[in-house]
Amino acid sequence: MLNETIRARRKAKGLSQQELAVKLNVVRQTVSKWEQGLSVPDSSMLIALSEALETPVSALLGETPEEEPQAEPLQAISEKLEVINLQLARQADSRRKAAHWLLIALCAAVVAGYGLLLALNSPYTHWDLTDPETAVLATLYHSFEWLFSRVAPLVLVAGGIGVFLTRKKH
């Protein structure tokens, strides 16, 4: 894919990300994002990138031309970038969906935890705490209950906000 090709060509030229970024008048993080596949250069930047790496645009896009490469029209480059952007958008959408359902499961687990604590109605208060093992168990249970009742509302609110933010937008 484009990100692997950019990294390989940059390393083959003996350039660091910073040196390539300086040649392209971008920040190093931009080159890093291209190489990680988090973003893609636009068509004009792709042309500048091909010049900086002394590589045809078609080679950067993963094609292996059998004959002498010719200058590609901007339209063809744009179409190839559109395909790459579509692939990145699909990856981002699948990550968003996974995060959305994970947050829903987290909220459901917190609600189930509250339901369990309500159903148990703090049973350790009726235990015979003169027995040391029972006293330790009651202390552990109380510690869990205390911590859960303090942290769970924050987790539930954060999870609810996360579910809202990761919903599919039309």
Side-chain angles (χ1 to χ4, degrees), residues 45-64:
M45 186 56 68
L46 191 60
I47 292 170
L49 187 60
S50 75
E51 291 170 359
L53 296 175
E54 298 173 357
T55 304
V57 172
S58 59
L60 287 176
L61 293 172
E63 295 179 6
T64 54

Side-chain angles (χ1 to χ4, degrees), residues 3-85:
N3 61 327
E4 296 162 355
T5 308
I6 293 172
R7 181 182 306 116
R9 300 290 175 153
R10 175 184 60 79
K11 287 183 177 183
K13 295 293 290 177
L15 295 171
S16 67
Q17 286 183 346
Q18 181 63 40
E19 291 168 334
L20 180 58
V22 167
K23 283 186 170 192
L24 298 171
N25 292 325
V26 297
V27 294
R28 184 202 57 79
Q29 289 82 355
T30 300
V31 175
S32 176
K33 285 183 180 181
W34 292 339
E35 290 185 0
Q36 292 176 32
L38 299 176
S39 68
V40 293
D42 62 20
S43 55
S44 61
M45 186 56 68
L46 191 60
I47 292 170
L49 187 60
S50 75
E51 291 170 359
L53 296 175
E54 298 173 357
T55 304
V57 172
S58 59
L60 287 176
L61 293 172
E63 295 179 6
T64 54
E66 296 178 9
E67 55 189 53
E68 186 66 27
Q70 300 175 354
E72 295 187 53
L74 195 57
Q75 178 67 27
I77 294 170
S78 295
E79 289 171 1
K80 291 173 186 173
L81 285 174
E82 185 177 339
V83 169
I84 293 170
N85 276 327

